[in-house]
Amino acid sequence: MPAKQQQKDMPTIARIRERVRRSSHGGDISVPDCQAAFGLMSPNPILSRIANGTPSAAKVLGEWKIDVTSVELYLDRINKEYNK
C-alpha cells in the first residue's frame, strides 16, 4: 500500500483495490477490467459513474480508459465510513 494510505481498508475494499492495481496498465484501467475488479455482472454501473464524472476517464480508440487514481479516490471515499 502506498505511504499516503493511512486508513485501514475494509477487507472488501482492500480486495477491490488490489484487483484494480493488478489490472492497471500505465495508470489506466479498462471498463471490463474495472467491472471484474468490482465483481459486477454489467458495465452499466461503471459507465453511469463515468457519465457523472466520478472516475476520471477518457475514450481512447473507442474504449474507455479510467484513471486508476480516480478509482482509488472513490474507494477511499466509500472506505471512510468503515473507519469512523
Side-chain angles (χ1 to χ4, degrees):
M1 272 195 200
K4 72 173 191 168
Q5 186 68 30
Q6 299 296 322
Q7 301 175 356
K8 183 171 173 16
D9 277 345
M10 183 171 52
T12 304
I13 300 297
R15 286 190 293 273
I16 293 171
R17 191 182 303 274
E18 182 58 33
R19 288 188 292 238
V20 165
R21 288 178 181 160
R22 274 185 293 184
S23 297
S24 69
H25 305 287
D28 294 331
I29 188 170
S30 68
V31 171
D33 288 340
C34 193
Q35 177 184 342
F38 278 84
L40 300 171
M41 299 300 288
S42 167
N44 292 339
I46 296 165
L47 294 173
S48 68
R49 283 183 174 81
I50 289 172
N52 291 336
T54 300
S56 177
K59 205 164 204 179
V60 178
L61 298 173
E63 183 180 354
W64 282 107
K65 295 293 184 178
I66 305 166
D67 181 44
V68 171
T69 305
S70 66
V71 175
E72 295 223 7
L73 290 172
Y74 173 73
L75 291 172
D76 289 343
R77 191 172 66 234
I78 60 175
N79 190 51
K80 188 188 303 184
E81 293 300 317
Y82 174 72
N83 287 300
K84 284 187 175 182

